[in-house]
Amino acid sequence: MNITLRIWRQHDADSPGRMIAYPVEGVSADMSFLEMLDVLNETLTLDGQEPVAFDHDCREGVCGMCSLAIDGVAHGPEALTTTCQLYMRHFSDGDVIDVEPWHAESFPVVRDLIVDRSALDRIIAAGGYISAPTGSAPDAAATLVPKAAADRAFDAATCIGCGACVAACPNGSAMLFTGAKATHLGALPQGQPERDARALAMVAAHDEEGFGGCTQIGECTAVCPAGIPLDMISRLNADVLSALRSPSP
């Protein structure tokens, strides 16, 4: 099939961006969206033009690098699907498809469709860890974890950190990401000693990075490829309130 891509081109964060149309012919329905972009870039390169810069890595829906807004929807029209796992069979011959980067203040454009998402890394660095003495690994059965807590932690840990929640949120909030990363550790016995400090530190880092506040709109969960539920934010909010009410040591 033949399609037309309207792609956001931008040299860097300080340059103005604009949409440019590119025809792509002979697209197979079995191609992934990224494979289709590869075909376009091969054509552009052969024509002596600058290829479109976009992020990718594993192409298996695991790493979260394939951060594209397709027709205004983070990762495209299919629910619980990353861009690299979105196939062209979900589009029709003759379609005109808009492809843009994550448009969020805290994600400055590096080039074209690539944005700098290191703000999420700094949220993790602020508290997304458990302090433990170094040495040999502890025995697997040394700390018993209730089944409900293990399931909750696993559900939170499935967040791949792609940033789709930020791109979809009208406020540019990263609270779904922050809530998932805090809940992952806060649900486990090993994470309890630092639970209050972790919640306060990660939310402070979230705000310092310029992410917006959460107003529980729910657009974040609608586009999350891992299906992280909205109550991860509620759990984080509860931890923050608990920490603020606790007497200082």
Side-chain angles (χ1 to χ4, degrees):
M1 61 183 178
N2 300 328
I3 62 171
T4 299
L5 296 177
R6 288 179 8 103
I7 298 179
W8 182 269
R9 301 302 306 260
Q10 187 170 348
H11 187 266
D12 54 45
D14 297 323
S15 303
R18 62 192 180 104
M19 301 291 280
I20 300 179
Y22 298 98
V24 185
E25 300 178 350
V27 176
S28 167
D30 295 325
M31 286 181 178
S32 72
F33 202 88
L34 295 190
E35 288 171 336
M36 182 269 302
L37 288 178
D38 290 337
V39 170
L40 170 63
N41 277 346
E42 289 177 5
T43 302
L44 292 176
T45 301
L46 290 173
D47 289 344
Q49 301 182 53
E50 190 74 22
V52 177
F54 64 94
D55 252 336
H56 63 94
D57 192 358
C58 74
R59 299 203 179 198
E60 295 179 351
V62 176
C63 71
M65 293 294 289
C66 54
S67 49
L68 298 180
I70 301 168
D71 284 338
V73 179
H75 288 302
E78 294 298 301
L80 302 176
T81 304
T82 54
T83 299
C84 64
Q85 295 294 294
L86 176 67
Y87 287 88
M88 297 309 297
R89 67 178 67 97
H90 299 296
F91 300 90
S92 301
D93 185 32
D95 276 356
V96 178
I97 306 172
D98 287 349
V99 188
E100 301 171 84
W102 292 164
H103 288 303
E105 183 178 348
S106 299
F107 291 161
V109 173
V110 176
R111 187 180 184 89
D112 295 340
L113 303 175
I114 301 175
V115 298
D116 180 358
R117 290 173 294 170
S118 59
L120 299 182
D121 297 330
R122 290 188 286 273
I123 293 175
I124 292 292
Y129 54 85
I130 291 174
S131 297
T134 58
S136 60
D139 185 86
T143 302
L144 298 180
V145 181
K147 178 67 162 57
D151 289 346
R152 180 68 166 169
F154 182 84
D155 289 344
T158 58
C159 169
I160 61 176
C162 65
C165 51
V166 179
C169 178
N171 305 325
S173 174
M175 283 298 283
L176 187 68
F177 166 84
T178 307
K181 296 305 180 183
T183 300
H184 167 210
L185 301 177
L188 296 172
Q190 299 93 325
Q192 298 312 306
E194 296 170 291
R195 184 169 179 171
D196 287 355
R198 178 183 302 112
L200 292 176
M202 294 182 77
V203 169
H206 171 281
D207 295 346
E208 288 171 4
E209 293 295 338
F211 292 105
C214 173
T215 51
Q216 298 280 320
I217 293 173
E219 288 294 324
C220 52
T221 61
V223 300
C224 176
I228 302 297
L230 196 63
D231 66 352
M232 295 290 178
I233 300 175
S234 302
R235 180 67 267 168
L236 175 60
N237 289 338
D239 285 353
V240 169
L241 290 175
S242 175
L244 292 174
R245 291 168 180 162
S246 299
S248 301

